[in-house]
Amino acid sequence: MEYSRKSDKAIFIDQEALSTLALVQEGLLYPVDGLMDKKTAEEVKRTKLYKNHSFPFSFILAPKGKRNEEVLKSLQKGEIVTLKVNHKTVGWIEVNEVFEIDPNERVQEIYGTQNPSHPGVQATMKRLGRFAVSGKFEVDYPKLRIIKDQITTAKNRIGAKQTSAMMMAARPLHRAHERLIRTTLDRSDLVVIFLFKPYHEDSTLPYELRYRSMDYFIKTYLPANRVIIVPLEYTYIFAGYNEVILNALVAQNYGCDELVIGQNHAGLGSFYDKNRIQSVFDHLKGFKIEIHTAPEYAYCDICRTLVSNKTCPHGEHHHISYHADSILELLKKGLLPPAVLVRKEISAMILAYMFPNRFDNLEKIYYDLMPGSGLLETQSEEDFYIKLMKLYHTTSLK
């Protein structure tokens, strides 16, 4: 991007703020189309509406730091201020207004709490200043435009009439995820999987590893031209209790007709009213996207397949639940989860990543324990785990 508007003043922001600004620039939070001034921000805070469309909180930029605060307090209406990330110019703002905010009220808006023990509150307070700036802006962030083009190309390639969106962390990708993707494909021409890519992700299962496992499943076991994976850069605005509303808004503005979410999604807020399940979406304005609430899947040891509570007559004591945290705990301890929980190839990818060079003499162990050609061949750790899982499935000896 060429910056024809030069300025001696600069505001320093981080990559997360840049990505969030880009969401608005690319129309992915529409009808929000810019940084809100004080009057608009207060109105949105009070009504939860922007241009007669539901929006959970005001959209503002209030970067922390003594240098930023000095610059913000000096800005005048109509002045151009440069945006920088790591001292690199990434955009500009034509100032409309600078106004003071209460950081505690701001985190309450986003997270529904000011409790400093909340991880989102902690992270946001570290980067949230006391002064916000409004005005027209432009940022250099082509990633989101590329994703929009990818989705449009995929839709045009197969002439998709119905496109469904799924927001997934896949930490790790397990059998219930697979079932959900398949059932969504039954109803849709194209499924877009928005794979979460947080800015403060731990190194246990990084985005690249989760992408690789999802890509393997899609290319090996699904009609790959009908499913695409795109990153959803999970900035701070998605981390609060309004997550599911923003997910629906982003999916809608990416051109999806439906958002598929689990019935136990933390942000759904389902409740019973007159024998009908309602959710937060029943009270929103302006949304055109359909919301499909999917059942929770479990493995029934009598049915011997994946079931939902609507399709299985056997009690929960016969069900194996797919709790991602518990499955991940097995992997962290170096244990292969049973294939009924996670596909063996995906477990192999994860364990090989988590425990590199785990075996002193992998080739010898492989040769001693695994059936093969009789030749001592170089084997990867992933191959070893896959073959080991196959040994676990031997059933003639019990």
Side-chain angles (χ1 to χ4, degrees):
M1 178 184 291
E2 293 293 329
Y3 295 98
S4 57
R5 303 188 175 201
K6 302 296 184 183
S7 172
D8 294 330
K9 295 182 179 180
I11 297 172
F12 289 83
I13 61 175
D14 57 19
Q15 196 71 23
E16 188 172 0
L18 173 61
S19 175
T20 307
L21 289 171
L23 284 171
V24 168
Q25 178 172 280
E26 294 301 325
L28 297 174
L29 294 180
Y30 182 84
V32 175
D33 52 7
L35 291 165
M36 298 177 184
D37 58 26
K38 183 177 182 179
K39 180 181 178 181
T40 304
E42 290 179 347
E43 183 178 346
V44 171
K45 179 182 177 181
R46 178 176 57 84
T47 65
K48 306 300 181 186
L49 290 172
Y50 180 71
K51 296 184 177 180
N52 206 35
H53 190 294
S54 293
F55 198 77
F57 45 74
S58 57
F59 188 83
I60 62 173
L61 177 65
K64 196 167 188 174
K66 182 178 179 181
R67 178 169 49 180
N68 280 337
E69 184 170 317
E70 291 174 353
V71 170
L72 287 167
K73 287 161 63 174
S74 75
L75 294 173
Q76 302 297 318
K77 185 172 182 176
E79 195 170 356
I80 302 298
V81 61
T82 299
L83 294 172
K84 290 182 179 287
V85 173
N86 296 326
H87 299 281
K88 177 184 177 183
T89 299
V90 295
W92 52 264
I93 299 175
E94 183 178 340
V95 178
N96 176 52
E97 182 184 13
V98 175
F99 56 98
E100 193 167 358
I101 68 162
D102 183 334
N104 290 311
E105 289 184 1
R106 177 63 174 166
V107 297
Q108 180 74 39
E109 258 192 296
I110 297 174
Y111 301 106
T113 180
Q114 299 178 22
N115 190 332
S117 66
H118 186 291
V121 171
Q122 285 182 23
T124 300
M125 289 299 286
K126 289 178 181 178
R127 55 197 301 281
L128 183 63
R130 296 189 304 117
F131 291 88
V133 58
S134 71
K136 179 183 177 182
F137 70 87
E138 185 175 346
V139 293
D140 184 11
Y141 203 78
K143 293 180 183 180
L144 301 182
R145 201 170 308 121
I146 292 170
I147 293 170
K148 289 171 72 174
D149 292 343
Q150 285 178 328
I151 295 173
T152 300
T153 299
K155 291 169 70 173
N156 292 338
R157 186 173 59 242
I158 62 173
K161 298 288 191 273
Q162 170 77 8
T163 301
S164 294
M166 303 180 72
M167 306 283 179
M168 302 184 74
R171 300 186 71 250
L173 178 67
H174 52 62
R175 297 286 190 172
H177 291 138
E178 295 184 10
R179 174 60 63 89
L180 184 56
I181 295 170
R182 289 185 188 278
T183 56
T184 303
L185 265 178
D186 284 336
R187 299 190 319 276
S188 304
D189 302 312
L190 179 70
V191 173
V192 181
I193 297 175
F194 291 90
L195 192 61
F196 295 164
K197 191 176 183 181
Y199 277 87
H200 303 287
E201 186 175 39
D202 65 62
S203 59
T204 306
L205 285 183
Y207 173 82
E208 289 72 19
L209 181 59
R210 291 181 290 114
Y211 179 94
R212 184 184 165 208
S213 62
M214 183 73 74
D215 187 59
Y216 167 81
F217 168 65
I218 290 169
K219 288 181 177 177
T220 309
Y221 298 104
L222 297 178
N225 65 326
R226 293 180 51 214
V227 186
I228 62 171
I229 316 165
V230 296
L232 179 62
E233 295 188 346
Y234 223 61
T235 71
Y236 67 96
I237 66 170
F238 294 101
Y241 71 120
N242 297 295
E243 169 196 5
V244 70
I245 300 174
L246 294 172
N247 286 345
L249 189 59
V250 168
Q252 176 175 284
N253 287 322
Y254 264 124
C256 298
D257 307 297
E258 175 189 68
L259 174 64
V260 178
I261 54 177
Q263 66 181 13
N264 293 327
H265 191 291
L268 185 58
S270 293
F271 57 91
Y272 282 94
D273 181 35
K274 296 180 180 179
N275 298 318
R276 185 174 76 89
I277 293 181
Q278 291 189 329
S279 79
V280 63
F281 290 101
D282 291 295
H283 308 283
L284 298 183
K285 291 184 178 181
F287 281 82
K288 298 178 182 178
I289 193 169
E290 294 290 327
I291 307 299
H292 177 79
T293 306
E296 183 180 9
Y297 292 107
Y299 182 87
C300 175
D301 64 2
I302 295 179
C303 295
R304 301 187 68 82
T305 189
L306 268 75
V307 298
S308 73
N309 56 9
K310 290 184 178 180
T311 63
C312 178
H314 310 114
E316 290 186 2
H317 54 288
H318 286 290
H319 290 175
I320 298 171
S321 298
Y322 288 85
H323 294 295
D325 289 345
S326 295
I327 296 172
L328 184 56
E329 192 64 27
L330 291 178
L331 291 162
K332 286 180 178 179
K333 299 299 183 184
L335 299 175
L336 271 168
V340 71
L341 296 178
V342 180
R343 196 174 289 274
K344 61 182 181 296
E345 294 86 356
I346 291 172
S347 292
M349 289 180 196
I350 296 171
L351 286 175
Y353 171 84
M354 287 183 168
F355 300 93
N357 305 313
R358 185 181 194 180
F359 303 100
D360 293 333
N361 195 340
L362 181 64
E363 285 79 10
K364 182 179 185 304
I365 298 173
Y366 195 101
Y367 180 78
D368 288 345
L369 300 180
M370 308 298 178
S373 64
L375 300 176
L376 191 61
E377 301 171 345
T378 300
Q379 302 291 341
S380 71
E381 290 186 342
E382 284 187 29
D383 292 332
F384 175 77
Y385 288 122
I386 292 170
K387 290 291 182 70
L388 187 61
M389 180 65 80
K390 288 181 178 179
L391 287 185
Y392 287 144
H393 289 173
T394 300
T395 57
S396 60
L397 299 175
K398 294 185 179 180

